[in-house]
Amino acid sequence: MAEHCHCGHHHHGGEERPLNKYEQALAKYKTELSDEEVKSAVRKIIAEKVHENDTPEVKKFLMGSVELTSLKTTDSEDSILAFTERVNQFDEQYPDLPHVATICVYPCFAKTVSESLEVEGVEIACVSGSFPSSQALIEVKVAETALAIKDGATEIDIVMPVGKFLSGDYEGVADEINELKAVCGEHKMKVILETGCLKTASNIKKASILAMYAGADYIKTSTGKLEPAATPEAAYVMCQAIKEYYEETGIQIGFKPAGGLNTVMDAIIYYTIVKEVLGEKWLTNEWLRLGTSRLANLLLSEVTGEETKFF
């Protein structure tokens, strides 16, 4: 195991090699974190701050940050068409409420959504790059991403190659993210860290920084296909990383918790963490997104005061 110091080189059994650019980037940040300290910081935020955000205004705002997601094995053109139609109808039926931020689907449905979505300002996100495992040849990931954009995707969600990360191949991780960002060009790219597989706060912090340096426009907690999915602790560490990256580079990166957002209170907890760690500048539906399929109905029910199964 190579030892780290801050002289810009790796010392390995007497030999020195220069740090690659990603190792140099990581060296600028505090990446050794205590899981216990993260837990207690999150407990404190939840105990002291969440109640003040449990308001109709915040719930309305959160509705407008939802990425309405359908990523089922059973999805079909018909079901995705109906799904998109609900978003069109919502805009007519609830003119006073913000529409969802995004519709998120598999790339094979980008065209269906793109041709049937009528609401201005709703993004079309596609999960790409062999979601959710990220286990495919880079050429396949590039092709899938390019085709999703050609068919109308305005945002792309990819999964960081978690196996590469866990085996210490940070350069391989970053190069792959970078190559997919090049395919996305001006389109926003979200990088899913799959925090449940990373296990420790230190790993989550490192993965966040690597993803941002490699070109992520957003970092996202989870695919929702593995347990545990999003946790407040992972969110806290990712928001800290976003803050430090912003202070270091001046580049603002968005945040998306996804997977396991089962209640309105879950959403309010994530909102509170973003507010406390990152501040008001991130409290817009451009910079904070919530990946979920069930939350939209729950938020709508709370905002309207009656149980509603609209979506």
Side-chain angles (χ1 to χ4, degrees), residues 141-167:
K141 295 180 179 187
V142 164
E144 187 178 26
T145 303
L147 289 167
I149 290 169
K150 179 179 83 63
D151 280 349
T154 61
E155 297 184 347
I156 293 290
D157 291 28
I158 65 163
V159 182
M160 175 183 83
V162 177
K164 276 188 179 151
F165 176 86
L166 291 173
S167 59

PDB file of all heavy atoms in Angstrom, residues 141-167:
ATOM      1  N   LYS A 141     -21.197   2.186 -23.480  1.00  0.00           N
ATOM      2  CA  LYS A 141     -21.703   3.307 -22.681  1.00  0.00           C
ATOM      3  C   LYS A 141     -21.752   4.592 -23.510  1.00  0.00           C
ATOM      4  O   LYS A 141     -22.706   5.371 -23.421  1.00  0.00           O
ATOM      5  CB  LYS A 141     -20.823   3.517 -21.450  1.00  0.00           C
ATOM      6  CG  LYS A 141     -20.850   2.359 -20.469  1.00  0.00           C
ATOM      7  CD  LYS A 141     -19.958   2.658 -19.274  1.00  0.00           C
ATOM      8  CE  LYS A 141     -19.998   1.508 -18.272  1.00  0.00           C
ATOM      9  NZ  LYS A 141     -19.269   1.836 -17.039  1.00  0.00           N
ATOM     10  N   VAL A 142     -20.719   4.801 -24.287  1.00  0.00           N
ATOM     11  CA  VAL A 142     -20.660   5.994 -25.146  1.00  0.00           C
ATOM     12  C   VAL A 142     -21.813   5.963 -26.157  1.00  0.00           C
ATOM     13  O   VAL A 142     -22.521   6.966 -26.342  1.00  0.00           O
ATOM     14  CB  VAL A 142     -19.291   6.072 -25.869  1.00  0.00           C
ATOM     15  CG1 VAL A 142     -19.337   7.051 -27.041  1.00  0.00           C
ATOM     16  CG2 VAL A 142     -18.198   6.478 -24.876  1.00  0.00           C
ATOM     17  N   ALA A 143     -22.007   4.812 -26.782  1.00  0.00           N
ATOM     18  CA  ALA A 143     -23.074   4.696 -27.791  1.00  0.00           C
ATOM     19  C   ALA A 143     -24.441   4.930 -27.166  1.00  0.00           C
ATOM     20  O   ALA A 143     -25.269   5.674 -27.701  1.00  0.00           O
ATOM     21  CB  ALA A 143     -23.019   3.315 -28.446  1.00  0.00           C
ATOM     22  N   GLU A 144     -24.670   4.310 -26.015  1.00  0.00           N
ATOM     23  CA  GLU A 144     -25.975   4.440 -25.359  1.00  0.00           C
ATOM     24  C   GLU A 144     -26.250   5.902 -24.991  1.00  0.00           C
ATOM     25  O   GLU A 144     -27.364   6.412 -25.181  1.00  0.00           O
ATOM     26  CB  GLU A 144     -26.020   3.560 -24.102  1.00  0.00           C
ATOM     27  CG  GLU A 144     -27.404   3.523 -23.484  1.00  0.00           C
ATOM     28  CD  GLU A 144     -27.519   2.630 -22.255  1.00  0.00           C
ATOM     29  OE1 GLU A 144     -26.503   2.410 -21.554  1.00  0.00           O
ATOM     30  OE2 GLU A 144     -28.636   2.168 -21.988  1.00  0.00           O
ATOM     31  N   THR A 145     -25.228   6.573 -24.495  1.00  0.00           N
ATOM     32  CA  THR A 145     -25.381   7.976 -24.088  1.00  0.00           C
ATOM     33  C   THR A 145     -25.648   8.862 -25.302  1.00  0.00           C
ATOM     34  O   THR A 145     -26.553   9.711 -25.288  1.00  0.00           O
ATOM     35  CB  THR A 145     -24.111   8.432 -23.337  1.00  0.00           C
ATOM     36  OG1 THR A 145     -23.904   7.552 -22.224  1.00  0.00           O
ATOM     37  CG2 THR A 145     -24.241   9.855 -22.839  1.00  0.00           C
ATOM     38  N   ALA A 146     -24.880   8.650 -26.362  1.00  0.00           N
ATOM     39  CA  ALA A 146     -25.053   9.453 -27.583  1.00  0.00           C
ATOM     40  C   ALA A 146     -26.446   9.248 -28.184  1.00  0.00           C
ATOM     41  O   ALA A 146     -27.094  10.206 -28.632  1.00  0.00           O
ATOM     42  CB  ALA A 146     -23.976   9.089 -28.603  1.00  0.00           C
ATOM     43  N   LEU A 147     -26.920   8.011 -28.169  1.00  0.00           N
ATOM     44  CA  LEU A 147     -28.250   7.718 -28.732  1.00  0.00           C
ATOM     45  C   LEU A 147     -29.362   8.346 -27.885  1.00  0.00           C
ATOM     46  O   LEU A 147     -30.347   8.851 -28.427  1.00  0.00           O
ATOM     47  CB  LEU A 147     -28.456   6.197 -28.830  1.00  0.00           C
ATOM     48  CG  LEU A 147     -27.619   5.505 -29.918  1.00  0.00           C
ATOM     49  CD1 LEU A 147     -27.634   3.989 -29.726  1.00  0.00           C
ATOM     50  CD2 LEU A 147     -28.122   5.876 -31.313  1.00  0.00           C
ATOM     51  N   ALA A 148     -29.188   8.317 -26.555  1.00  0.00           N
ATOM     52  CA  ALA A 148     -30.198   8.937 -25.679  1.00  0.00           C
ATOM     53  C   ALA A 148     -30.318  10.429 -25.983  1.00  0.00           C
ATOM     54  O   ALA A 148     -31.427  10.978 -26.089  1.00  0.00           O
ATOM     55  CB  ALA A 148     -29.823   8.722 -24.209  1.00  0.00           C
ATOM     56  N   ILE A 149     -29.184  11.074 -26.175  1.00  0.00           N
ATOM     57  CA  ILE A 149     -29.200  12.518 -26.462  1.00  0.00           C
ATOM     58  C   ILE A 149     -29.797  12.782 -27.847  1.00  0.00           C
ATOM     59  O   ILE A 149     -30.617  13.680 -28.022  1.00  0.00           O
ATOM     60  CB  ILE A 149     -27.774  13.102 -26.322  1.00  0.00           C
ATOM     61  CG1 ILE A 149     -27.378  13.107 -24.838  1.00  0.00           C
ATOM     62  CG2 ILE A 149     -27.694  14.507 -26.911  1.00  0.00           C
ATOM     63  CD1 ILE A 149     -25.924  13.400 -24.563  1.00  0.00           C
ATOM     64  N   LYS A 150     -29.419  11.964 -28.811  1.00  0.00           N
ATOM     65  CA  LYS A 150     -29.974  12.114 -30.163  1.00  0.00           C
ATOM     66  C   LYS A 150     -31.503  11.993 -30.134  1.00  0.00           C
ATOM     67  O   LYS A 150     -32.208  12.685 -30.860  1.00  0.00           O
ATOM     68  CB  LYS A 150     -29.379  11.040 -31.081  1.00  0.00           C
ATOM     69  CG  LYS A 150     -29.906  11.088 -32.513  1.00  0.00           C
ATOM     70  CD  LYS A 150     -29.287  10.025 -33.406  1.00  0.00           C
ATOM     71  CE  LYS A 150     -29.930   8.664 -33.302  1.00  0.00           C
ATOM     72  NZ  LYS A 150     -31.340   8.606 -33.724  1.00  0.00           N
ATOM     73  N   ASP A 151     -32.020  11.111 -29.262  1.00  0.00           N
ATOM     74  CA  ASP A 151     -33.468  10.885 -29.195  1.00  0.00           C
ATOM     75  C   ASP A 151     -34.199  11.880 -28.299  1.00  0.00           C
ATOM     76  O   ASP A 151     -35.401  11.755 -28.088  1.00  0.00           O
ATOM     77  CB  ASP A 151     -33.753   9.456 -28.711  1.00  0.00           C
ATOM     78  CG  ASP A 151     -33.601   8.431 -29.828  1.00  0.00           C
ATOM     79  OD1 ASP A 151     -33.480   8.847 -30.997  1.00  0.00           O
ATOM     80  OD2 ASP A 151     -33.604   7.222 -29.532  1.00  0.00           O
ATOM     81  N   GLY A 152     -33.474  12.842 -27.728  1.00  0.00           N
ATOM     82  CA  GLY A 152     -34.175  13.903 -27.005  1.00  0.00           C
ATOM     83  C   GLY A 152     -33.869  14.032 -25.527  1.00  0.00           C
ATOM     84  O   GLY A 152     -34.420  14.910 -24.861  1.00  0.00           O
ATOM     85  N   ALA A 153     -32.994  13.188 -24.985  1.00  0.00           N
ATOM     86  CA  ALA A 153     -32.624  13.366 -23.571  1.00  0.00           C
ATOM     87  C   ALA A 153     -31.928  14.718 -23.410  1.00  0.00           C
ATOM     88  O   ALA A 153     -31.070  15.086 -24.221  1.00  0.00           O
ATOM     89  CB  ALA A 153     -31.689  12.249 -23.111  1.00  0.00           C
ATOM     90  N   THR A 154     -32.312  15.455 -22.374  1.00  0.00           N
ATOM     91  CA  THR A 154     -31.652  16.742 -22.097  1.00  0.00           C
ATOM     92  C   THR A 154     -30.688  16.610 -20.925  1.00  0.00           C
ATOM     93  O   THR A 154     -29.875  17.499 -20.681  1.00  0.00           O
ATOM     94  CB  THR A 154     -32.690  17.839 -21.792  1.00  0.00           C
ATOM     95  OG1 THR A 154     -33.448  17.460 -20.634  1.00  0.00           O
ATOM     96  CG2 THR A 154     -33.637  18.045 -22.966  1.00  0.00           C
ATOM     97  N   GLU A 155     -30.778  15.509 -20.179  1.00  0.00           N
ATOM     98  CA  GLU A 155     -29.854  15.222 -19.082  1.00  0.00           C
ATOM     99  C   GLU A 155     -29.545  13.728 -19.094  1.00  0.00           C
ATOM    100  O   GLU A 155     -30.386  12.926 -19.512  1.00  0.00           O
ATOM    101  CB  GLU A 155     -30.472  15.591 -17.721  1.00  0.00           C
ATOM    102  CG  GLU A 155     -30.780  17.070 -17.575  1.00  0.00           C
ATOM    103  CD  GLU A 155     -31.307  17.447 -16.192  1.00  0.00           C
ATOM    104  OE1 GLU A 155     -31.681  16.557 -15.402  1.00  0.00           O
ATOM    105  OE2 GLU A 155     -31.352  18.655 -15.918  1.00  0.00           O
ATOM    106  N   ILE A 156     -28.358  13.390 -18.613  1.00  0.00           N
ATOM    107  CA  ILE A 156     -27.926  11.983 -18.581  1.00  0.00           C
ATOM    108  C   ILE A 156     -27.505  11.630 -17.160  1.00  0.00           C
ATOM    109  O   ILE A 156     -26.745  12.369 -16.535  1.00  0.00           O
ATOM    110  CB  ILE A 156     -26.738  11.765 -19.552  1.00  0.00           C
ATOM    111  CG1 ILE A 156     -27.174  11.953 -21.008  1.00  0.00           C
ATOM    112  CG2 ILE A 156     -26.096  10.394 -19.334  1.00  0.00           C
ATOM    113  CD1 ILE A 156     -28.086  10.873 -21.574  1.00  0.00           C
ATOM    114  N   ASP A 157     -27.984  10.488 -16.670  1.00  0.00           N
ATOM    115  CA  ASP A 157     -27.559   9.967 -15.356  1.00  0.00           C
ATOM    116  C   ASP A 157     -26.741   8.697 -15.589  1.00  0.00           C
ATOM    117  O   ASP A 157     -27.252   7.728 -16.158  1.00  0.00           O
ATOM    118  CB  ASP A 157     -28.777   9.602 -14.493  1.00  0.00           C
ATOM    119  CG  ASP A 157     -29.579  10.818 -14.031  1.00  0.00           C
ATOM    120  OD1 ASP A 157     -29.565  11.842 -14.740  1.00  0.00           O
ATOM    121  OD2 ASP A 157     -30.234  10.730 -12.962  1.00  0.00           O
ATOM    122  N   ILE A 158     -25.465   8.737 -15.173  1.00  0.00           N
ATOM    123  CA  ILE A 158     -24.614   7.545 -15.309  1.00  0.00           C
ATOM    124  C   ILE A 158     -24.222   7.042 -13.925  1.00  0.00           C
ATOM    125  O   ILE A 158     -24.284   7.788 -12.946  1.00  0.00           O
ATOM    126  CB  ILE A 158     -23.336   7.824 -16.133  1.00  0.00           C
ATOM    127  CG1 ILE A 158     -22.431   8.832 -15.417  1.00  0.00           C
ATOM    128  CG2 ILE A 158     -23.694   8.275 -17.544  1.00  0.00           C
ATOM    129  CD1 ILE A 158     -21.008   8.887 -15.911  1.00  0.00           C
ATOM    130  N   VAL A 159     -23.805   5.803 -13.850  1.00  0.00           N
ATOM    131  CA  VAL A 159     -23.315   5.236 -12.599  1.00  0.00           C
ATOM    132  C   VAL A 159     -21.791   5.193 -12.654  1.00  0.00           C
ATOM    133  O   VAL A 159     -21.217   4.695 -13.626  1.00  0.00           O
ATOM    134  CB  VAL A 159     -23.869   3.803 -12.368  1.00  0.00           C
ATOM    135  CG1 VAL A 159     -23.392   3.243 -11.032  1.00  0.00           C
ATOM    136  CG2 VAL A 159     -25.390   3.804 -12.437  1.00  0.00           C
ATOM    137  N   MET A 160     -21.163   5.739 -11.635  1.00  0.00           N
ATOM    138  CA  MET A 160     -19.710   5.628 -11.518  1.00  0.00           C
ATOM    139  C   MET A 160     -19.326   4.147 -11.575  1.00  0.00           C
ATOM    140  O   MET A 160     -20.025   3.317 -10.988  1.00  0.00           O
ATOM    141  CB  MET A 160     -19.305   6.212 -10.159  1.00  0.00           C
ATOM    142  CG  MET A 160     -17.844   6.057  -9.819  1.00  0.00           C
ATOM    143  SD  MET A 160     -17.483   6.683  -8.160  1.00  0.00           S
ATOM    144  CE  MET A 160     -17.934   5.263  -7.151  1.00  0.00           C
ATOM    145  N   PRO A 161     -18.217   3.800 -12.239  1.00  0.00           N
ATOM    146  CA  PRO A 161     -17.795   2.389 -12.198  1.00  0.00           C
ATOM    147  C   PRO A 161     -17.304   2.029 -10.783  1.00  0.00           C
ATOM    148  O   PRO A 161     -16.144   2.244 -10.432  1.00  0.00           O
ATOM    149  CB  PRO A 161     -16.674   2.304 -13.238  1.00  0.00           C
ATOM    150  CG  PRO A 161     -16.271   3.698 -13.548  1.00  0.00           C
ATOM    151  CD  PRO A 161     -17.372   4.613 -13.122  1.00  0.00           C
ATOM    152  N   VAL A 162     -18.222   1.516  -9.982  1.00  0.00           N
ATOM    153  CA  VAL A 162     -17.981   1.323  -8.544  1.00  0.00           C
ATOM    154  C   VAL A 162     -16.875   0.297  -8.298  1.00  0.00           C
ATOM    155  O   VAL A 162     -16.038   0.464  -7.411  1.00  0.00           O
ATOM    156  CB  VAL A 162     -19.283   0.898  -7.831  1.00  0.00           C
ATOM    157  CG1 VAL A 162     -19.032   0.621  -6.353  1.00  0.00           C
ATOM    158  CG2 VAL A 162     -20.353   1.985  -7.977  1.00  0.00           C
ATOM    159  N   GLY A 163     -16.859  -0.774  -9.101  1.00  0.00           N
ATOM    160  CA  GLY A 163     -15.828  -1.801  -8.933  1.00  0.00           C
ATOM    161  C   GLY A 163     -14.430  -1.221  -9.121  1.00  0.00           C
ATOM    162  O   GLY A 163     -13.509  -1.509  -8.341  1.00  0.00           O
ATOM    163  N   LYS A 164     -14.286  -0.381 -10.139  1.00  0.00           N
ATOM    164  CA  LYS A 164     -12.990   0.275 -10.367  1.00  0.00           C
ATOM    165  C   LYS A 164     -12.617   1.146  -9.172  1.00  0.00           C
ATOM    166  O   LYS A 164     -11.467   1.164  -8.737  1.00  0.00           O
ATOM    167  CB  LYS A 164     -13.053   1.168 -11.620  1.00  0.00           C
ATOM    168  CG  LYS A 164     -12.816   0.421 -12.905  1.00  0.00           C
ATOM    169  CD  LYS A 164     -12.700   1.371 -14.086  1.00  0.00           C
ATOM    170  CE  LYS A 164     -12.441   0.546 -15.344  1.00  0.00           C
ATOM    171  NZ  LYS A 164     -12.934   1.153 -16.543  1.00  0.00           N
ATOM    172  N   PHE A 165     -13.594   1.886  -8.668  1.00  0.00           N
ATOM    173  CA  PHE A 165     -13.321   2.764  -7.529  1.00  0.00           C
ATOM    174  C   PHE A 165     -12.856   1.954  -6.320  1.00  0.00           C
ATOM    175  O   PHE A 165     -11.853   2.283  -5.687  1.00  0.00           O
ATOM    176  CB  PHE A 165     -14.565   3.589  -7.158  1.00  0.00           C
ATOM    177  CG  PHE A 165     -14.356   4.433  -5.933  1.00  0.00           C
ATOM    178  CD1 PHE A 165     -13.790   5.702  -6.031  1.00  0.00           C
ATOM    179  CD2 PHE A 165     -14.678   3.951  -4.661  1.00  0.00           C
ATOM    180  CE1 PHE A 165     -13.559   6.472  -4.893  1.00  0.00           C
ATOM    181  CE2 PHE A 165     -14.441   4.705  -3.530  1.00  0.00           C
ATOM    182  CZ  PHE A 165     -13.890   5.972  -3.648  1.00  0.00           C
ATOM    183  N   LEU A 166     -13.592   0.886  -6.010  1.00  0.00           N
ATOM    184  CA  LEU A 166     -13.270   0.100  -4.817  1.00  0.00           C
ATOM    185  C   LEU A 166     -11.931  -0.619  -4.949  1.00  0.00           C
ATOM    186  O   LEU A 166     -11.287  -0.931  -3.949  1.00  0.00           O
ATOM    187  CB  LEU A 166     -14.397  -0.894  -4.509  1.00  0.00           C
ATOM    188  CG  LEU A 166     -15.710  -0.254  -4.036  1.00  0.00           C
ATOM    189  CD1 LEU A 166     -16.805  -1.307  -3.926  1.00  0.00           C
ATOM    190  CD2 LEU A 166     -15.547   0.480  -2.703  1.00  0.00           C
ATOM    191  N   SER A 167     -11.491  -0.875  -6.181  1.00  0.00           N
ATOM    192  CA  SER A 167     -10.183  -1.511  -6.337  1.00  0.00           C
ATOM    193  C   SER A 167      -9.061  -0.476  -6.455  1.00  0.00           C
ATOM    194  O   SER A 167      -7.911  -0.823  -6.709  1.00  0.00           O
ATOM    195  CB  SER A 167     -10.179  -2.483  -7.521  1.00  0.00           C
ATOM    196  OG  SER A 167     -10.495  -1.794  -8.707  1.00  0.00           O
TER     197      SER A 167
END
